[in-house]
Amino acid sequence: MSKKVNKRRQAYAQKQEKQGQNVVMWIIIALIILALLFAFYSITRFS
């Protein structure tokens, strides 16, 4: 029984880690897009 619970916990931990990495990747992508939009806005506004 204990081995079964440990396998479930390990699988859940791996799933959570994968989802966490996915969230971090999307946050970084969003920040890059926002930075590019701001750069474009700054160039067109002051030129």
Side-chain angles (χ1 to χ4, degrees), residues 33-47:
I33 290 171
L34 288 172
L36 291 173
L37 288 173
F38 180 72
F40 179 73
Y41 169 75
S42 296
I43 290 170
T44 58
R45 173 126 165 99
F46 297 116
S47 292

Side-chain angles (χ1 to χ4, degrees), residues 16-34:
Q16 289 289 83
E17 182 179 352
K18 186 177 179 181
Q19 287 178 343
Q21 289 174 348
N22 202 12
V23 169
V24 170
M25 180 189 67
W26 281 109
I27 290 172
I28 291 171
I29 289 171
L31 288 174
I32 290 171
I33 290 171
L34 288 172

Side-chain angles (χ1 to χ4, degrees), residues 1-14:
M1 181 85 175
S2 177
K3 290 180 183 181
K4 190 175 186 179
V5 171
N6 284 339
K7 285 182 182 181
R8 257 192 224 153
R9 284 184 185 172
Q10 186 178 11
Y12 181 74
Q14 288 175 347

